[in-house]
């Protein structure tokens, strides 16, 4: 699995790239993602995530996590590609990118009374679930997604304290 991580300059000292990559890898493995899966993680601030939220979701406010999925449900007309998994590109399966606002994660960690690592893990789980095609638009889908997120969070607990 290839996991590319970009951290805005002002936050580089606050985070460990190997830790982020390891947590993302554990999430992908927990969801049985293909070993050739690729994804990106981008850690940024409130202004940049607000801009992305405004441009792509038409919501002019900061948020905690955004997912830009390459997931395509009707990916292929032939029988060689599974119709419910992202299309292979250059030998790898590019799932997309998860964008997290570190300042928002810090605020939420304080609000929920748990460590920043746990909040980052929670946001990564949520973002990666979106990359893999999960959503929470319908209540029934939200329940499925939330249940699985909680299971993965429990599995990752040792890495998040």
């Amino acid at each position: 699995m290839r996991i590319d991580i970009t951290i805005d300059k002002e936050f580089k000292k606050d985070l460990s790239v190997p830790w982020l990559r390891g947590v993302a890898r554990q999430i992908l493995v927990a969801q049985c993602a293909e070993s050739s899966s690729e994804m990106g993680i981008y850690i940024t601030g409130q202004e940049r995530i607000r801009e992305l939220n405004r441009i792509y979701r038409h919501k002019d406010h900061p948020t905690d996590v955004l997912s830009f999925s390459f997931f395509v449900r009707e990916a292929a007309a032939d029988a060689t590609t599974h119709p419910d998994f992202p299309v292979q590109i250059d030998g790898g399966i590019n799932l997309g990118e998860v964008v997290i606002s570190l300042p928002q994660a810090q605020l939420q960690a304080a609000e929920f009374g748990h460590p920043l690592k746990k909040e980052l893990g929670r946001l990564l789980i949520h973002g990666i679930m979106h990359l893999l095609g999960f959503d929470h638009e319908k209540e029934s889908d939200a329940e499925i997604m939330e249940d699985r997120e909680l299971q993965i969070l429990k599995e990752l607990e040792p890495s998040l304290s």
Side-chain angles (χ1 to χ4, degrees), residues 69-77 81-87 129-136 138 141:
S69 177
F70 295 161
F71 187 87
V72 181
R73 287 195 185 273
E74 296 83 31
T81 305
H82 192 286
D84 286 331
F85 208 77
V87 180
M129 295 293 286
H130 279 304
L131 295 187
L132 294 172
F134 288 81
D135 75 40
H136 43 76
K138 291 189 263 175
D141 292 338

Side-chain angles (χ1 to χ4, degrees), residues 3-135:
I3 302 164
D4 295 320
I5 298 175
T6 304
I7 302 173
D8 281 349
K9 186 170 56 175
E10 66 265 34
F11 305 120
K12 284 189 184 236
K13 67 182 181 328
D14 300 324
L15 295 171
S16 162
V17 168
W19 178 84
L20 282 168
R21 187 173 285 120
V23 170
R25 187 178 314 277
Q26 288 177 55
I27 296 164
L28 290 168
V29 168
Q31 278 305 108
C32 301
E34 296 286 330
S35 62
S36 61
S37 295
E38 300 175 9
M39 65 165 289
I41 299 170
Y42 174 37
I43 306 294
T44 191
Q46 296 289 66
E47 287 147 27
R48 180 68 177 138
I49 207 160
R50 178 181 184 165
E51 177 184 22
L52 293 170
N53 203 23
R54 181 176 34 79
I55 292 168
Y56 295 104
R57 295 184 64 230
H58 310 290
K59 298 182 179 190
D60 192 14
H61 56 80
T63 189
D64 52 3
V65 61
L66 293 171
S67 295
F68 296 96
S69 177
F70 295 161
F71 187 87
V72 181
R73 287 195 185 273
E74 296 83 31
D78 65 28
T80 61
T81 305
H82 192 286
D84 286 331
F85 208 77
V87 180
Q88 281 197 289
I89 300 169
D90 299 330
I93 299 171
N94 194 330
L95 301 173
E97 184 149 346
V98 173
V99 181
I100 295 175
S101 167
L102 184 60
Q104 189 65 37
Q106 291 167 325
L107 290 170
Q108 290 173 191
E111 178 183 325
F112 297 139
H114 58 232
L116 176 60
K117 282 185 174 183
K118 182 172 183 175
E119 186 61 17
L120 288 170
R122 194 182 70 75
L123 296 175
L124 270 175
I125 292 167
H126 188 80
I128 290 172
M129 295 293 286
H130 279 304
L131 295 187
L132 294 172
F134 288 81
D135 75 40

